[in-house]
Amino acid sequence: MTTALATLTAFVLLLTITAYSVAGGVDYGAGIWDLLAGRGASADRARQLIERAMAPVWEANNVWLVLAIVVCWTGFPLLFESVFSSLYPLFGVALLALILRGAFFAFRHVWTGARGARRTGIVFGISSLLAPFFFAAALGAIASGRVTVNGPSTSVWEACFNPTSMAFGLVSLGATAFIGATFLVGDARRFGMPDMADYFRRRAIIATIVLITTGTFALAVIGLENSRLVGAMLTGLGTPFALAAVVFTPLVGFLLWRRIFHWYRLLGVVVVGSLVFAWGFGQSPYLLPGQLTISQAAAPLGTQVLLSIVTLLVVVLVLPSLGLLVYLDQRSALESPEG
């Protein structure tokens, strides 16, 4: 019973990480394109579109981050202790960037003038780069095998900053830029801004190439550091998801290149979700590769039962609310009359 519930909890944890990677990735990606927009009339219109698209839903995405943390420390306290005692520099930078990003997204509405807009935009954009990079680097550090039970097998800095963690971070930046641009194409079309739809269509194609390049590089790096994980991703449980990412990433780029505006956003979600699932299922049944399995890390049965009840309540109460929010947003029902 404990093993079954622990497996279910591990799957819920993977789902929350995936949800945050997708939903949060859309917003982080928008922030990255805000930073890279430059100056001029097109840049101003791009930033207006980004702000208009993000404003109704951006805070809601942090629900998944909070849920992932709660599920981790409650369901797998030994994993939580081991990971955070080893990787606190990565999480510290990511959380600081998350705070600065939210604060300066709000400040840009009250800090008027060209100078204020530039300063708030720079902090907002850089934070949008740092947060996904360092969150993903933490997953890469785990995948590298340098995080061991009760602490790192090497120094904290070597556990945090190594080839696999940096490769995961780069893939995360590519994926967030990819899904951010993909969704902004849809937002521009929804708001009747054909020039911006073409603007972000070109950037989505570029991001597709970047994601393919960084993904290939990361796979090579992981193969050198953890060949078992690569084997499981390519010939084991992670294979269907790795294959989905390989097939659908260039397909999204092709659809946008040909201006076929059907299924591209859904396929973008599948791509990012598949990348996370390929890692998660490839690493299974280990939470810490080669050291700590799901059953070994699981909290006592009573805790697992209570966590399952809380998870069910989240499904019943939170998911419909978020679904309604997204539904209304996509129909522009949340904008003010002036918007």
Side-chain angles (χ1 to χ4, degrees):
M1 184 66 176
T2 302
T3 301
L5 285 177
T7 302
L8 176 62
T9 302
F11 184 63
V12 170
L13 180 58
L14 181 61
L15 284 177
T16 56
I17 293 173
T18 304
Y20 189 64
S21 299
V22 172
V26 171
D27 282 351
Y28 287 134
I32 290 173
W33 292 117
D34 187 286
L35 179 67
L36 298 178
R39 298 184 183 183
S42 294
D44 292 340
R45 282 180 57 78
R47 291 190 175 99
Q48 290 170 4
L49 171 63
I50 288 168
E51 185 164 326
R52 186 178 178 185
M54 286 181 58
V57 297
W58 70 282
E59 282 281 25
N61 295 324
N62 290 325
V63 168
W64 303 115
L65 177 61
V66 174
L67 182 59
I69 294 172
V70 171
V71 170
C72 185
W73 90 48
T74 307
F76 305 105
L78 184 56
L79 172 68
F80 185 86
E81 176 190 354
S82 302
V83 168
F84 278 82
S85 64
S86 301
L87 306 179
Y88 58 86
L90 296 178
F91 287 112
V93 174
L95 292 173
L96 178 61
L98 186 64
I99 293 169
L100 290 174
R101 182 176 183 273
F104 279 82
F105 184 72
F107 289 162
R108 69 194 300 172
H109 294 87
V110 296
W111 195 347
T112 58
R115 179 177 296 180
R118 283 197 302 271
R119 291 179 177 177
T120 55
I122 288 173
V123 176
F124 170 70
I126 291 176
S127 299
S128 297
L129 280 170
L130 294 178
F133 180 89
F134 282 93
F135 276 133
L139 300 183
I142 294 171
S144 74
R146 289 178 172 84
V147 179
T148 56
V149 178
N150 296 320
S153 58
T154 60
S155 69
V156 167
W157 294 105
E158 187 177 344
C160 291
F161 302 99
N162 57 74
T164 301
S165 65
M166 297 298 100
F168 268 58
L170 291 175
V171 171
S172 177
L173 290 183
T176 52
F178 166 81
I179 196 169
T182 300
F183 269 71
L184 285 168
V185 171
D187 290 324
R189 298 181 72 241
R190 174 162 59 96
F191 295 141
M193 303 171 68
D195 58 327
M196 286 294 100
D198 198 54
Y199 176 96
F200 283 109
R201 182 186 65 85
R202 294 192 299 270
R203 280 150 182 78
I205 294 170
I206 294 172
T208 300
I209 298 171
V210 171
L211 179 56
I212 293 172
T213 303
T214 55
T216 304
F217 169 75
L219 198 62
V221 171
I222 299 168
L224 293 175
E225 295 222 308
N226 190 343
S227 58
R228 180 196 171 279
L229 177 58
V230 170
M233 290 172 63
L234 299 181
T235 61
L237 291 176
T239 303
F241 308 107
L243 182 62
V246 169
V247 172
F248 292 135
T249 302
L251 179 57
V252 172
F254 173 79
L255 290 175
L256 292 174
W257 174 57
R258 297 292 296 175
R259 291 182 169 84
I260 302 173
F261 297 115
H262 301 286
W263 301 102
Y264 62 99
R265 288 193 294 181
L266 177 60
L267 292 176
V269 170
V270 172
V271 167
V272 177
S274 295
L275 291 172
V276 181
F277 268 44
W279 159 74
F281 278 91
Q283 195 167 279
S284 178
Y286 288 100
L287 296 175
L288 296 179
Q291 302 171 59
L292 187 67
T293 64
I294 293 172
S295 58
Q296 289 171 341
L301 178 60
T303 303
Q304 295 288 340
V305 171
L306 288 175
L307 186 58
S308 299
I309 294 172
V310 171
T311 301
L312 180 61
L313 290 175
V314 169
V315 171
V316 172
L317 298 176
V318 177
L319 284 185
S321 302
L322 290 175
L324 178 61
L325 178 66
V326 173
Y327 175 84
L328 293 174
D329 174 57
Q330 289 301 303
R331 280 151 183 78
S332 303
L334 300 177
E335 295 189 26
S336 65
E338 294 79 11

